[in-house]
Amino acid sequence: MSPVLVSILGSAIKIAIAVGFSLNLGGLLTWLERRQMAMMQDRIGPHRADIKLGGKKFTFAGLLHPAADAVKFFFKEDFVPPNADKLLHSLAPMLALFPPLVLMGVVPMFDTVCPESLRNNLWHEIPRFGTCAMASTAKQLGPISGQVVDINVGILYVFALAGMGIVGATIAGWSSDNKFSLLGGLRAASQLVSYEVAMGISIVGAMMVYGSLRLDEMARWQGENTWGIWVQPLGFILFLTAAIAETKRTPFDLPEGESEIVAGYLVEYSGFKFAMFYTGEYIEIVISSALVTALYLGGYNIPFLHRDGITLSLGDDILWHKGLPHLVVILLQLGTFLGKVTVLCWAQIFIRWTLPRFRYDQLMKLGWRMLLPACLVNVFLTGIALLAFDRSSPATHDTFQVIGDALNWVVLAGMVFFPLWLVWGMFTPSSFISRRNELRGRRSAAAAAAVATEEASAH
Amino acid sequence: MPQPLVGKIQYDRVKGTPVARPRRTALEQAYVVEVVKGLGVTMRHFFKNTKSMFRGERPDAVKDPLSEGITTLAYPEQKKVYPPRFRGVHRLTLRNDGSPRCVACLCCSTACPAQCIYIEAGEYPDGDNRRGYERYPVKFVIDELRCIFCGYCVEACPCDAIRMDTGRHAVPYDSREQFIYGKAMLMSLESADGKQLAENPRHEPPDPTHPGIDRLKGAH
């Protein structure tokens, strides 16, 4: 195959993965959200839509509800208020859906692929360090990066496009010719502007540590050292908070308020235009999860999985090494990334259905008086720590490397044992667990009784 | 000239102890720890309920509606068990030969506070054993929309001819006419356990088992 064809094919596959994943997961999230909140609130959730196949009814655990929703949105009346600005009213949903769809383009989904090495042998292994050979002749295949677009100011592109979400909401609020819409649009605009400031500064600490604005280099740093959440714990919490606020969901769902401004800037939208806003919101969840993953949760990395295979180590001591083919490593990384994003979406739904919403003044207070100073403190502390680290002795560097590897071990243990524990819990009868808990309770009661008798005898 | 009241009213200063405000520690004010605690609560419910759904160990919503976990009732398929003395839609109990036990005495329609029962009494035809002893309802109409389900008609009935033990609640029809139950409709309804007769048997006057005085004994 010619190099041009390979690069076009690579881009097409990457676009298909990025857009297909975010659109499909966004659709699935509507189901997951309802079903999960039902489970959290001791209910069943949607489960009645069914199709008949061969005389039997199949509900697929309620998965047909999103499909039914989509059909409904298609056939509903597309209402435009009589005095509304028709052009802007139609433009707003596009502006709301567009940025989250293209944001996925800069998030690295796997490490750089070297097609040249795979030309002769599909199971070829490549060395851990060193980049792919650039195409020196016209016939050689150049490296394919893990992002759809390889921009060297990736994170700035993210902020630029995230800022466009405001435009969609504001235009929707203004063009609907409705007071509630206008108020909702205003609220959305001021909220998003406030939290974008905090979001932008919360990430500066991470940029200082990783030493790059490129998201793929950030992910690679985390693979070589340790996950960003360990070096930037405060930054992680601040960024996650700001990202949730950017998605306009509870506890930050002030642009909507049934008792105050009805549905905010969505009041006058129905049918497919509403569906575009709705989908955009869910894709925003996927995107914010992807960003948090890439910046703080190791991106596509599993601890100790490098470009050449698995290398278990602690500091400079290599405990075990197993080479893996390049293609297998890439696929593992892709699966890891998509899995992490899905789990983080799940966690975001948890946050959304657990926390009560803020009042509007509390929201602004939290944004400007708490998050922003905390972000600045984070930047300051990170700077001091980096300076101290740069001037410290090589022995200290080695100690930190050992600590980083130890944290990698913790993460690896969590990634292996948490799913195992979940599966074990699912397949163990409840009576077994309840009997174990009962035994534990009896033991602790006995211990408490022993303490009580000791105290009584002491008096 | 009336004195202006302004400035004359003496308001007492509000006396009392101030309400104790909950004291929050710095950890609670930091919000993050409390958020994690709250997530723990919802996660416990989530995993427990997901497991019970996955394993099919959900508590029986009909038999055990107050237990822990998911006790959602899938309504048209599952129904809540009504208490045994629940007053449902009326029915007219039958005799063994299938005719109504009602003797058209108008006790129920007299007792009815909502005045929703209309009875037109008629004599049994010539040759019928019961002619002269009792009458029968030519028409027996209940307006279920007017009915307040107080059960006085059941209390008033001397013949155990009207009962509210069908276990059916008022059905949502789409027109008022459908709520007006006629005699045939009321006679076709069954009790919750599927009976159309009453509990106690009725001994008709010509029967040998009839304990009371009848036409022959009374002809002295």
Side-chain angles (χ1 to χ4, degrees):
Chain A
M1 281 200 285
S2 75
V4 180
L5 196 65
V6 167
S7 73
I8 289 175
L9 198 67
S11 293
I13 291 174
K14 283 188 291 187
I15 291 171
I17 294 173
V19 176
F21 177 71
S22 44
L23 270 178
N24 280 316
L25 188 61
L28 272 181
L29 278 182
T30 61
W31 167 79
L32 180 69
E33 172 142 50
R34 291 184 211 165
R35 210 63 215 252
Q36 185 178 334
M37 95 174 125
M39 291 292 126
M40 288 160 67
Q41 298 169 348
D42 291 357
R43 297 186 288 110
I44 298 177
H47 67 297
R48 297 203 84 99
D50 57 44
I51 5 178
K52 286 196 183 83
L53 289 176
K56 273 188 177 179
K57 279 182 180 177
F58 290 96
T59 58
F60 301 110
L63 268 172
L64 295 169
H65 280 264
D69 272 348
V71 173
K72 182 191 76 176
F73 281 136
F74 266 117
F75 289 104
K76 256 180 128 171
E77 186 195 354
D78 180 19
F79 177 74
V80 181
N83 292 328
D85 189 319
K86 292 205 169 43
L87 175 69
L88 292 182
H89 191 265
S90 315
L91 189 66
M94 301 180 203
L95 284 176
L97 183 58
F98 173 71
L101 267 183
V102 293
L103 263 176
M104 199 71 175
V106 288
V107 181
M109 296 179 288
F110 42 82
D111 212 338
T112 309
V113 185
C114 300
E116 187 61 40
S117 69
L118 299 172
R119 181 182 282 230
N120 296 322
N121 180 10
L122 219 54
W123 303 108
H124 187 73
E125 291 177 23
I126 60 167
R128 174 168 168 185
F129 297 108
T131 50
C132 296
M134 290 299 288
S136 54
T137 63
K139 283 206 169 178
Q140 270 182 328
L141 307 175
I144 299 176
S145 81
Q147 306 143 284
V148 177
V149 263
D150 195 5
I151 312 179
N152 55 9
V153 287
I155 200 74
L156 298 185
Y157 169 86
V158 168
F159 286 125
L161 274 171
M164 274 188 65
I166 305 172
V167 180
T170 319
I171 288 184
W174 184 79
S175 64
S176 298
D177 187 39
N178 183 318
K179 292 185 184 70
F180 294 125
S181 284
L182 189 60
L183 285 171
L186 274 176
R187 278 193 182 189
S190 55
Q191 176 184 333
L192 292 186
V193 167
S194 306
Y195 279 83
E196 224 153 70
V197 176
M199 194 174 169
I201 301 181
S202 69
I203 217 166
V204 171
M207 291 193 296
M208 285 157 77
V209 174
Y210 304 147
S212 172
L213 285 176
R214 300 172 69 105
L215 282 160
D216 56 335
E217 277 180 19
M218 293 181 174
R220 203 163 296 135
W221 189 95
Q222 296 180 67
E224 288 302 328
N225 297 287
T226 188
W227 283 16
I229 185 171
W230 303 120
V231 288
Q232 284 284 310
L234 184 58
F236 168 72
I237 292 172
L238 297 172
F239 183 77
L240 186 66
T241 314
I244 292 173
E246 287 286 300
T247 55
K248 302 189 283 282
R249 285 154 63 78
T250 327
F252 305 103
D253 64 338
L254 275 301
E256 293 170 33
E258 196 64 46
S259 54
E260 306 155 14
I261 49 169
V262 203
Y265 59 89
L266 299 171
V267 167
E268 298 290 359
Y269 281 94
S270 60
F272 206 70
K273 285 181 191 162
F274 175 76
M276 283 169 83
F277 274 113
Y278 195 61
T279 321
E281 244 168 61
Y282 278 100
I283 294 175
E284 262 177 33
I285 302 170
V286 180
I287 297 304
S288 63
S289 301
L291 281 177
V292 172
T293 305
L295 289 168
Y296 293 102
L297 296 179
Y300 46 72
N301 290 299
I302 311 174
F304 304 117
L305 179 74
H306 300 293
R307 281 164 76 79
D308 57 342
I310 302 168
T311 312
L312 298 179
S313 63
L314 191 67
D316 283 337
D317 307 328
I318 291 174
L319 305 176
W320 188 67
H321 176 78
K322 172 94 175 73
L324 282 178
H326 185 43
L327 209 58
V328 174
V329 172
I330 293 296
L331 288 178
L332 271 177
Q333 286 174 338
L334 178 64
T336 312
F337 176 73
L338 302 186
K340 278 181 190 175
V341 172
T342 313
V343 170
L344 213 58
C345 289
W346 174 80
Q348 285 208 35
I349 294 178
F350 254 112
I351 293 171
R352 191 236 179 283
W353 290 103
T354 302
L355 303 183
R357 73 201 298 231
F358 290 109
R359 220 166 47 214
Y360 202 77
D361 60 320
Q362 291 172 333
L363 174 92
M364 283 294 148
K365 223 179 259 179
L366 181 74
W368 290 105
R369 288 212 215 145
M370 315 261 294
L371 283 193
L372 189 58
C375 291
L376 291 172
V377 165
N378 186 40
V379 172
F380 187 65
L381 289 181
T382 310
I384 290 176
L386 278 180
L387 265 183
F389 184 73
D390 283 346
R391 297 188 178 188
S392 58
S393 62
T396 325
H397 287 214
D398 287 347
T399 318
F400 272 102
Q401 204 186 345
V402 172
I403 293 174
D405 274 346
L407 291 172
N408 277 346
W409 278 102
V410 171
V411 169
L412 186 65
M415 280 172 85
V416 171
F417 286 113
F418 186 65
L420 285 180
W421 175 75
L422 271 190
V423 171
W424 177 82
M426 283 292 161
F427 284 97
T428 316
S430 306
S431 56
F432 175 79
I433 292 175
S434 64
R435 199 171 64 232
R436 192 192 59 183
N437 289 347
E438 192 188 326
L439 281 176
R440 274 187 193 163
R442 229 183 273 163
R443 223 173 290 152
S444 61
V451 169
T453 44
E454 253 176 50
E455 278 179 1
S457 60
H459 281 301
Chain B
M1 190 177 167
Q3 294 276 319
L5 275 172
V6 182
K8 291 245 169 177
I9 301 172
Q10 293 274 317
Y11 289 107
D12 285 339
R13 290 191 62 184
V14 178
K15 289 172 190 166
T17 49
V19 179
R21 299 285 171 202
R23 296 189 67 166
R24 279 176 291 187
T25 60
L27 210 60
E28 284 166 353
Q29 292 275 32
Y31 200 67
V32 175
V33 181
E34 299 298 312
V35 165
V36 174
K37 275 189 200 167
L39 284 175
V41 174
T42 44
M43 279 212 186
R44 200 164 56 237
H45 278 263
F46 172 77
F47 284 119
K48 227 171 130 184
N49 291 333
T50 310
K51 182 179 173 181
S52 74
M53 289 290 279
F54 176 73
R55 295 183 58 85
E57 291 171 347
R58 202 149 73 78
D60 192 333
V62 180
K63 288 179 189 157
D64 198 6
L66 294 179
S67 81
E68 296 240 320
I70 303 174
T71 51
T72 308
L73 207 74
Y75 169 61
E77 292 93 26
Q78 295 177 312
K79 279 178 185 154
K80 211 171 170 128
V81 181
Y82 286 130
R85 298 181 71 173
F86 170 75
R87 291 197 288 261
V89 162
H90 316 73
R91 71 180 171 109
L92 285 179
T93 54
L94 303 184
R95 299 170 201 240
N96 287 332
D97 64 351
S99 59
R101 283 173 71 109
C102 178
V103 295
C105 67
L106 307 192
C107 277
C108 54
S109 61
T110 311
C112 180
Q115 302 183 352
C116 66
I117 306 179
Y118 170 72
I119 302 171
E120 209 174 290
E123 290 288 342
Y124 280 106
D126 280 336
D128 194 307
N129 281 336
R130 290 167 291 191
R131 186 183 167 87
Y133 287 111
E134 56 193 39
R135 296 181 296 170
Y136 79 101
V138 180
K139 279 186 184 170
F140 195 109
V141 183
I142 299 181
D143 185 348
E144 298 286 352
L145 268 186
R146 280 195 71 91
C147 176
I148 58 168
F149 294 90
C150 63
Y152 284 4
C153 51
V154 182
E155 301 291 327
C157 184
C159 307
D160 199 8
I162 186 167
R163 282 187 162 225
M164 296 178 82
D165 58 359
T166 47
R168 297 161 51 130
H169 44 240
V171 190
Y173 295 118
D174 50 12
S175 74
R176 284 173 180 272
E177 289 73 40
Q178 286 168 290
F179 283 97
I180 296 172
Y181 283 13
K183 183 177 148 193
M185 174 70 171
L186 289 166
M187 282 168 65
S188 70
L189 293 174
E190 294 173 345
S191 69
D193 43 0
K195 286 182 200 150
Q196 284 199 300
L197 307 178
E199 292 298 324
N200 48 342
R202 180 157 170 80
H203 306 282
E204 308 295 342
D207 286 349
T209 51
H210 178 65
I213 190 163
D214 61 13
R215 199 177 292 159
L216 298 174
K217 288 173 193 162
H220 52 269

